[in-house]
Amino acid sequence: MLTQLPRGTKDIYAPEIYGWQWLEEILRNVSHIYGASEIRTPIFEHTELFVKNVGDTSDIVNKEMYTFEDKGGRSITLKPEGTAGVARSFIENKMYANPQPIKQYYITKCFRYEKPQAGRQREFNQYGIEVIGTYSPAADAEVISLGKEILEKLGIENVTLHINSIGNEESRTLYHKALKDYLAENYDNLCPACKERYEKNPLRVLDCKVPSCKDIVDAAPSVIDYLTEEDREHFNKLKEILDSMGIAYIVDPRIVRGLDYYTRTVFEFISGDLGAQSTVCGGGRYDKMIGETGGPELGACGFAIGLERIMMILEKNNKLPEPKNKRTLYIGSIGEAGFLKSQALAYALRNKGIAADCDIVGRSVKAQLKYSDKIGSKYSMVLGDDELKNNKAGLKNMETGEVIEIELDKIAEFFLK
Ligand code: ATP
Ligand code: MG
């Protein structure tokens, strides 16, 4: 146990970490282009926040939360998703007093007690965007276009956008009835979890991953046929805007998402490069959340991207950039004077922004150069008594093997030019 990760978690370190840093940089850059600023909320919140927002009929709240009592007797939950914390912060910090909409993005760890498998962990990383303060379908289109832009900038292909509308309360009440009538006919063939969902929230059955339930769902009535005039108008406008942007989509009435807070638009980006866990990005509109959490009535929409799944696609298609952190110069040394000079020179060069390295192990010069080769230094040199006396050393280009003579105090200049 002492040297074993808890189930469903992963260490991320070099060289993989360079892929993550590159990914995060793209996420930040694209978010800023779209006018979003970063928000960092706590990794844990009061349990009620998630129960209220994510919903007590969702799998997350029912089975997946990491909930514990702290030493003060409060019920605390590690965040299973990012939206609830952003909504809480929006209200608590009175962001509604600022010009609307407020666009914020996050990159955060999330925690869900799930059965670990490829693309499904217990601790995982999400990027998300939340646009709060507008009911317009233009906001739905904008967040969708942001998702598409991110995938494009990462060089991810073979992804399709699936959109749907689950309407507002009025549409859903009509649909619930139709769906329940249909499911009642197939009740005996539903999985045990869906039998429970049938009672509590039949919409959830559409999101079941059990194959026999999927078959039943295939012939179920479509939510789109039950939308009120206003909900239908919203959905049509969204499609019109996506068309005008040239963003292709599939209208998919089976998309309902696993969280209770959605209203009207829901969507997923689905990858053909992943196995069973094929949704890389899921989101939609949540017009009731801000009001029901205690803030003013305000429309909102957003999405979250599963970053492990993004990394899986990038790895599979060899799209990850070359690892960085190759050393520019390795300064080897022979003898005590050379050793001291190598330490001082590395310090001075690093101060000027040059990735210099030197021996801090006490190796022989032969072993030092072997190490320099292994870490991929672009140049190397060795300082001994002669080099110190002449204030010159041979600077070797490790790629070409070419050696040039260089004055020790001209080294920084050489690399900076
Ligand atoms: P799924 O249907 O795959 O369980 P979900 O509906 O629970 O996903 P969301 O809560 O909407 O997913 O989260 C958004 C994205 O986060 C998902 O599309 C997925 O890419 C990623 N994700 C969700 N759960 C996990 C997990 N346990 N491990 C890794 N990534 C995850
Ligand atoms: Mg899930």
Side-chain angles (χ1 to χ4, degrees):
M1 293 295 266
L2 207 56
T3 55
Q4 222 175 53
L5 280 169
R7 206 164 128 71
T9 65
K10 262 183 82 179
D11 297 317
I12 306 176
Y13 51 95
E16 193 192 337
I17 192 73
Y18 298 112
W20 283 87
Q21 290 171 345
W22 168 80
L23 167 61
E24 286 167 13
E25 195 180 313
I26 290 179
L27 293 170
R28 289 179 202 288
N29 288 342
V30 179
S31 304
H32 295 153
I33 298 278
Y34 274 72
S37 51
E38 187 181 2
I39 177 163
R40 301 186 190 187
T41 63
I43 214 77
F44 56 83
E45 298 268 1
H46 293 121
T47 302
E48 307 100 88
L49 179 71
F50 300 117
V51 174
K52 171 95 183 155
N53 282 322
V54 179
D56 53 11
T57 68
S58 66
D59 281 358
I60 293 180
V61 169
N62 277 321
K63 313 189 283 208
E64 298 173 357
M65 294 207 303
Y66 278 88
T67 298
F68 60 95
E69 198 172 280
D70 73 6
K71 291 189 200 303
R74 302 168 197 91
S75 181
I76 294 292
T77 295
L78 302 185
K79 61 161 95 154
E81 56 89 63
T83 306
V86 174
R88 191 232 357 102
S89 173
F90 180 89
I91 299 165
E92 191 167 357
N93 297 300
K94 302 193 173 56
M95 293 183 197
Y96 45 79
N98 300 331
Q100 307 292 299
I102 304 281
K103 305 184 200 176
Q104 298 183 103
Y105 75 93
Y106 56 79
I107 298 173
T108 186
K109 290 197 174 287
C110 294
F111 305 86
R112 297 185 193 175
Y113 193 78
E114 301 204 66
K115 194 169 148 237
Q117 49 199 294
R120 196 176 289 289
Q121 297 176 194
R122 290 184 175 171
E123 183 194 67
F124 61 101
N125 293 276
Q126 275 191 350
Y127 162 90
I129 176 85
E130 313 295 351
V131 176
I132 304 180
T134 165
Y135 289 98
S136 167
D140 311 34
E142 187 172 280
V143 299
I144 289 174
S145 68
L146 166 64
K148 181 154 170 63
E149 181 71 14
I150 286 172
L151 296 172
E152 230 172 84
K153 284 281 181 302
L154 293 170
I156 291 181
E157 289 152 8
N158 196 12
V159 180
T160 40
L161 166 64
H162 294 234
I163 63 170
N164 188 24
S165 174
I166 55 171
N168 262 320
E169 251 154 312
E170 198 185 333
S171 305
R172 270 209 304 281
T173 309
L174 289 171
Y175 180 61
H176 269 193
K177 192 178 168 325
L179 182 62
K180 252 189 132 158
D181 289 348
Y182 168 81
L183 291 176
E185 293 165 29
N186 299 276
Y187 185 82
D188 292 341
N189 298 323
L190 291 174
C191 75
C194 279
K195 285 189 167 129
E196 212 174 293
R197 290 176 183 130
Y198 170 85
E199 302 297 342
K200 282 198 197 160
N201 185 353
L203 207 60
R204 269 296 90 73
V205 176
L206 299 191
D207 201 36
C208 184
K209 292 174 178 84
V210 176
S212 52
C213 290
K214 279 190 171 170
D215 290 344
I216 295 173
V217 159
D218 274 342
S222 273
V223 58
I224 291 177
D225 296 333
Y226 293 82
L227 294 181
T228 59
E229 198 50 41
E230 292 83 6
D231 288 343
R232 187 182 307 278
E233 220 170 85
H234 183 99
F235 193 47
N236 286 340
K237 188 52 101 184
L238 166 64
K239 290 190 285 185
E240 218 179 294
I241 301 170
L242 291 175
D243 290 340
S244 81
M245 289 171 155
I247 294 179
Y249 54 84
I250 297 167
V251 174
D252 181 349
R254 302 294 167 246
I255 301 277
V256 294
R257 313 290 309 123
L259 301 86
D260 286 352
Y261 51 59
Y262 289 113
T263 50
R264 291 190 163 166
T265 310
V266 285
F267 64 88
E268 292 186 2
F269 284 93
I270 298 177
S271 166
D273 287 342
L274 296 170
Q277 272 64 56
S278 56
T279 303
V280 288
C281 170
R285 182 160 273 288
Y286 49 97
D287 289 340
K288 298 278 177 278
M289 187 192 286
I290 301 298
E292 285 180 1
T293 309
E297 297 280 336
L298 285 171
C301 61
F303 66 71
I305 295 180
L307 299 184
E308 275 73 12
R309 294 186 195 176
I310 293 284
M311 288 300 282
M312 282 168 69
I313 298 173
L314 293 170
E315 250 162 57
K316 185 176 165 198
N317 295 302
N318 280 321
K319 288 271 169 73
L320 287 171
E322 276 283 298
K324 282 187 282 201
N325 204 26
K326 293 255 160 77
R327 260 48 127 238
T328 304
L329 170 66
Y330 185 87
I331 310 164
S333 60
I334 305 174
E336 189 55 21
F339 166 76
L340 287 175
K341 181 69 185 175
S342 72
Q343 309 295 306
L345 191 53
Y347 178 54
L349 291 175
R350 287 164 173 169
N351 175 260
K352 296 198 156 74
I354 299 157
D357 219 333
C358 57
D359 178 49
I360 54 168
V361 177
R363 291 187 167 106
S364 71
V365 69
K366 197 173 154 212
Q368 287 175 30
L369 293 175
K370 214 166 156 184
Y371 170 76
S372 154
D373 205 37
K374 275 193 189 145
I375 59 172
S377 311
K378 291 196 194 95
Y379 288 85
S380 70
M381 61 170 38
V382 175
L383 302 182
D385 292 344
D386 284 351
E387 283 77 13
L388 296 193
K389 196 173 77 203
N390 302 327
N391 195 37
K392 271 184 191 160
L395 181 67
K396 184 173 177 184
N397 181 324
M398 298 303 286
E399 236 167 64
T400 63
E402 185 197 358
V403 181
I404 57 163
E405 182 119 297
I406 189 164
E407 282 176 39
L408 297 189
D409 32 29
K410 296 269 166 64
I411 295 175
E413 201 179 303
F414 175 86
F415 285 109
L416 289 175
K417 76 164 195 278

